[in-house]
Amino acid sequence: MAVIEAKNLSKVFGKNTKQTLKLMDKGLTKDEILKQTGNTVGVNRANFSVEEGEIFVIMGLSGSGKSTLVRLLNRLIEPTEGSILIEGQDLAQMDKKALRKVRREKLSMVFQQFALFPHRTILENAEFGLEVQNVPKEERKKKATEALQMVGLGDYIHQKPGQLSGGMQQRVGLARALANDPKVLLMDEAFSALDPLIRKEMQDELIDLQSSMKKTIIFITHDLDEALRLGDHIALMKDGVVVQIGTPEEILVHPANDYVEKFVEDVDRSKILTAEHIMKRPETVNIDKHGPRVALERMREEGISSILVIDGKRNLKGYITAEDASHARKNESSNLIDILRTDIPKVKKETTMHDIFTIIHDSPTPVAVVEDDKLVGIIVRGAVIAALAGDGEVNL
Amino acid sequence: MLRNTLDFIPEIPIAEGTEIVTDWLKNTFSFVFNPIKEHFGNLMEFVAEDILMNIPPIIFIILVALLAFFVTGKKLGLAAFSIVGLVLIYNQGHWDDLMNTVTLVLLASLLSVIIGVPVGIIMSKSKIANAIFTPILDFMQTMPAFVYLIPAVAFFGIGMVPGVFASLIFATPPTVRFTNLGIRQVSKDLVEASDAFGSTGVQKLFKVELPMAKATIMAGINQTVMLALSMVVIASMIGAPGLGSQVLSSLQRAQVGTGFVAGLGIVILAIIIDRITQNMNKKNV
């Protein structure tokens, strides 16, 4: 079930917003509306749903409305129209008290510039969310300490934020958000202010945290690499409009329009695409049933010089070459075992192309893709190169 | 020819109107003003004569010096200055005047803060309040301070109480303005963070905004105290006792020496109070 759902969610900054909404319906762009009315379209009819336990990345360049969108989700900015369903309840319709309750119990936010309270210690910062709920002192201290330990800051609890580095400050921000055990974490460019090394480290930790805690995370970023690394789904925004929503692969491989295509063209595809995306259905012979004659026949049909050998359970046994097979046929041998070669490189479905390069470079044969020793596909050099060039056929 | 063109407008009776309003206020609200005058007057007398003047000067001086010492982070400068300065005032025979002045300044400042901080908070929270209070504050600060003495006397007679009243009007604006400014300057991020975690307005104010604005508010309070002190001489014109009344009587009798000594006393007090309140501010940052 969707934890958060945005329906027709829009924000217009300025006066006479209803009229602007009509212009938006007519399909006018952000620039045209600004010229005509002087109003700025923050978010234009965003629709998406976020499933429990996933990392949903909202990505766009500055001015695309992504920070506005995330603030609509907890109503730090009041939506002009549309609804925000949190576990089925519409946040946009709630009164202040109900809204506070949702903010306290279901949504936490992590900020780009950390937004730690400089007059409070690290522990007091982490306690903040619980403190405003009037949780008893002992209990909130315990929970905040646990959250701080989870992000690796157990030793710094009595320092002030100003004494910590940027990376550590953002850990505090994360701990503060985790301490009141929210359903959903809203992370607004949470790692953008960090230097690249720390950022990567934090991304890894976030992935770990997410897989152990099963939080639903909505992550805002302007950095495509970050989006591709973290996101289970990515929503791409431009001028307040959600242009495309999909898995990282879908966005890379089937960009919805020119804008997305241009956006993704510089991505290092080799780090995103995996063996699964570029493998082909393998031609095989069964070691228990077939002999050299069948093997040769199949190779000729497919125009290949070697063929993979499996058993009845599709376990990969090895491969035979055309040369060996024709020798065997001349010698009237009917057994494949004698000519079976086993030095075939194997990769898993999740292996990235980046890692496949080196393997395929050193191997005279195609690379087999296996899962639990069972053969699921084959990768030939041509497919790797085509996929990298961006125009090859890719399985999704 | 053109000299008299505007004469067709009859003179608007602002002065008469003001007097009518003041008289009306005085008569209608005498049940408010009279008890204030009486009780507050008694309180001030009690503070000045029964408490401050009963403390032996040497003890008072040591206490001030200790306060100065600790507030400045255990540096000797201000403490030494306090001792020398206060002993000098005692030596010149102005100790009781000093105590009266301290009472006036402390009570006026205290009331200014009690009134000014909440008003500043309201201004920071409401555009309407901001629009209403800003011109009032401008008015309070630019109207010559002497003018306040007139209604003060009308309402409270002469003595310390009208002095505090006049100081209050003159000295409150900085606290209001700085409180307003301080809260408005709290970074938007922190306000958002506070909201995002579900704070109520009151929680946000006390847990985030006021602590963050503290330095600015303290700067305003420092200004308020200084302004209250500067009213000491003016308030002496309506009979407020203290160093100011010494300055005033020297002026009336053209006694340069006595006037200088009393004025020097005010300067010494001003420096001590200013440095102590400023350092409280620094320590709290």
Side-chain angles (χ1 to χ4, degrees), chain A residues 21-233:
Chain A
L21 286 175
K22 279 181 201 147
L23 295 179
M24 278 157 57
D25 288 337
K26 281 187 194 159
L28 268 69
T29 64
K30 186 176 174 171
D31 287 342
E32 288 164 352
I33 290 175
L34 181 67
K35 256 184 209 156
Q36 276 194 26
T37 65
N39 287 353
T40 308
V41 177
V43 175
N44 187 344
R45 311 241 181 258
N47 285 289
F48 58 85
S49 77
V50 181
E51 297 299 317
E52 173 136 30
E54 74 166 326
I55 301 186
F56 187 89
V57 175
I58 299 172
M59 198 198 68
L61 300 177
S62 62
S64 62
K66 56 192 189 306
S67 284
T68 307
L69 181 54
V70 76
R71 281 167 175 72
L72 290 174
L73 296 180
N74 61 359
R75 261 181 70 187
L76 281 179
I77 296 177
E78 288 292 334
T80 310
E81 199 181 65
S83 49
I84 308 126
L85 299 178
I86 297 192
E87 298 187 305
Q89 288 178 296
D90 188 358
L91 201 70
Q93 303 299 329
M94 286 181 186
D95 61 14
K96 276 191 173 175
K97 204 175 157 204
L99 173 65
R100 264 205 304 274
K101 194 169 151 64
V102 171
R103 283 176 174 174
R104 287 176 177 184
E105 290 167 10
K106 292 188 179 165
L107 298 168
S108 279
M109 194 158 173
V110 182
F111 294 84
Q112 179 172 11
Q113 298 298 338
F114 323 136
L116 300 177
F117 304 117
H119 59 290
R120 295 171 149 245
T121 64
I122 300 307
L123 181 64
E124 286 165 349
N125 263 288
E127 278 179 358
F128 186 82
L130 299 162
E131 194 180 317
V132 297
Q133 297 181 45
N134 299 317
V135 173
K137 206 168 180 183
E138 283 308 308
E139 192 187 336
R140 70 177 191 236
K141 188 175 172 186
K142 186 170 151 271
K143 284 184 176 170
T145 313
E146 280 170 11
L148 284 166
Q149 271 161 359
M150 211 145 39
V151 298
L153 279 180
D155 299 335
Y156 295 89
I157 58 174
H158 296 302
Q159 305 226 13
K160 292 275 175 73
Q163 293 166 288
L164 303 187
S165 68
M168 281 156 100
Q169 289 192 30
Q170 194 55 301
R171 283 166 202 263
V172 181
L174 195 55
R176 179 175 65 180
L178 290 171
N180 47 346
D181 194 25
K183 260 256 164 303
V184 181
L185 272 181
L186 304 173
M187 305 186 72
D188 179 23
E189 301 233 19
F191 303 150
S192 300
L194 306 176
D195 63 59
L197 275 179
I198 305 287
R199 188 194 300 190
K200 190 154 178 297
E201 199 180 304
M202 294 289 282
Q203 288 167 353
D204 290 339
E205 282 183 38
L206 185 70
I207 293 171
D208 289 349
L209 269 176
Q210 201 261 354
S211 62
S212 65
M213 297 181 72
K214 304 284 176 225
K215 293 277 179 228
T216 308
I217 298 174
I218 297 181
F219 194 100
I220 311 296
T221 183
H222 63 259
D223 176 356
L224 185 62
D225 285 329
E226 187 167 69
L228 296 170
R229 250 171 90 82
L230 294 175
D232 293 313
H233 284 95

Side-chain angles (χ1 to χ4, degrees), chain B residues 109-121:
Chain B
S109 307
L110 196 66
L111 283 175
S112 291
V113 171
I114 290 173
I115 295 168
V117 172
V119 173
I121 292 171

